[in-house]
Amino acid sequence: MGQDLSADTFTSRDRGRYRRKVQRCLDTLARMLSDGSFSFPRKNIGLEVELNLVDREMRPSMTNTTVLEALNDPSFTTELGQHNLELNVPPRPLAGDSALTLEEDLRAYLTAARSKAEGAGSLLAMIGILPTLRHEHFDQKWLTNNARYSLLNDEIFAARGEHTVLAMEGAALDGHKPERLRSYAESILPEAACTSVQLHLQVAPEEFAAHWNAAQCLAGVQVALGANSPFLLGKALWHETRIPLFLQATDTRPEELKNQGVRPRVWFGERWITSIFDLFEENVRYFPGLLPETDAEDPIEALESGNAPKLTELRMHNGTVWRWNRPVYDVVDGLPHLRVENRVLAAGPTVLDIVANAAFFYGAQRALAESDRPVWSQMSFQAAEENLYAGARQGFDAQLYWPGIGWIPPDELVLRVLLPMAHEGLRRSDVSDEARERYLGIIEQRCLARRTGSSWQRDYVLRAQERGLERDAALARMLTRYLELSESETPVHTWPVQD
């Protein structure tokens, strides 16, 4: 969805033209895959971080336009809500000390953003869900002033025909009953509550299926290990509440279509794949266009003339199907390439934790993708999906399924199986020993401490309430302390729960 659109509404003719154009893009992609048209000089990685802006009282600060103007840096861009920013860190090779320089660069970007935010009376919050959000912050007037966001909002609501329903039951705080959320929203702004880290890996076409399948196998472990979104609208819910919230916020299905088994647009998928084409073809087959705008390019003619086709409509369509591991087609400097975009991780808590999560993912993903007997050949796709929801709901208290082991807690699975694999995967990727040991050491210690951003937030709020604070005051106090510790750059497993 990374482009501006006209503010005009779409007609039935627009939709028919768009459907035909998407199909022509899909045919072009099939030809490119069979012809070997893709550039693959090396495995580049990329990273995006979605951020929140808050005021001194820890409430959402609707100042993204002001902050972006002050930054004047193309690495930062808008996101759905006026209290959101997105940072796109330039891609780089995975090998050598790249992870160390990624940590330095990410910290420098955030330092600059914090400075400009303070000039607008705001603070930067790198967290999965802003715990001080309230129902009034989901009013449509708080959408970022960009035609594509308004059109997306209108199209989703037109498809569904009714308000967004937010309904979930949480994992109980120690000594308390589970809390339940039942709420409604009249815009898609609950999606803006879901601020994430997105990890990109450029892969060769013939390697894509193995890397995507491996990423799917890792999703449940990733969310349990990196959970940082336990509160929404004052309720203690899942350890990674982003997972159910994103699904509900962008759901185009009324109850009747859900009952018929129509697929949601926030989607884990339904099968292991043999080619990236499988995913794009599923997108086209199952999902109507939400933003059916077309350009003048004939992609097949572009390909036959020796140019890399933009495949604009296929890419736009792909941007409105929110897979947790998304296929990406892109053209850079006139050369087409393919990427896996991993979208399951919450933003934060610190730069160090983010880079550690990335190192674990890239290392474990490579080791799984290159294993002699792929783990997905021993595991049902449904088991991988159930792992995602179990890890998101229970965090380290979840029980995940893993072939050859059975049911196992995430921390034990990481320490026994996946952390050694991640070390091996990073070695094969020529990552320096210093970087490998620094970041995977943080993952090891996090597992030993069984402390994530989510568990820290939950424990802090629980203790604040035991000291007499009401929930809203406890959340604001927790967020204040969270921001202090986030900037201190001590990893989350070392954070004290008491002031």
Side-chain angles (χ1 to χ4, degrees), residues 308-319:
K310 297 192 294 290
L311 305 187
T312 303
E313 295 78 12
L314 190 67
R315 292 162 69 190
M316 174 65 75
H317 194 64
N318 189 49

Side-chain angles (χ1 to χ4, degrees), residues 296-367:
E297 180 191 69
D298 183 310
I300 290 180
E301 288 182 3
L303 182 64
E304 290 177 346
S305 64
N307 297 318
K310 297 192 294 290
L311 305 187
T312 303
E313 295 78 12
L314 190 67
R315 292 162 69 190
M316 174 65 75
H317 194 64
N318 189 49
T320 60
V321 179
W322 292 277
R323 294 177 183 269
W324 293 112
N325 285 294
R326 177 187 275 168
V328 176
Y329 168 92
D330 205 355
V331 180
V332 177
D333 297 329
L335 298 174
H337 72 258
L338 304 175
R339 303 195 304 268
V340 178
E341 180 188 12
N342 177 255
R343 303 165 51 82
V344 301
L345 288 168
T350 68
V351 168
L352 202 49
D353 286 302
I354 286 175
V355 180
N357 289 339
F360 172 77
F361 172 72
Y362 290 131
Q365 183 195 36
R366 175 158 186 173

Side-chain angles (χ1 to χ4, degrees), residues 72-85:
N72 192 29
D73 183 342
S75 297
F76 290 90
T77 186
T78 59
E79 253 298 330
L80 186 64
Q82 292 183 28
H83 66 284
N84 297 140
L85 300 174

Side-chain angles (χ1 to χ4, degrees), residues 38-44 202-207 336-338:
F38 286 93
S39 164
F40 187 69
R42 56 187 176 181
K43 274 190 169 70
N44 274 347
Q202 183 180 347
V203 294
E206 63 274 14
E207 297 175 350
H337 72 258
L338 304 175

Side-chain angles (χ1 to χ4, degrees), residues 386-402:
E386 290 173 354
N387 281 351
L388 171 68
Y389 292 112
R393 182 166 183 169
Q394 298 292 339
F396 277 138
D397 293 327
Q399 289 288 317
L400 306 182
Y401 176 79
W402 198 258

Side-chain angles (χ1 to χ4, degrees), residues 348-358 442-443 446 489-493 495:
T350 68
V351 168
L352 202 49
D353 286 302
I354 286 175
V355 180
N357 289 339
I442 289 170
I443 298 298
R446 193 190 303 165
E489 278 308 315
T490 55
V492 71
H493 70 268
W495 288 8

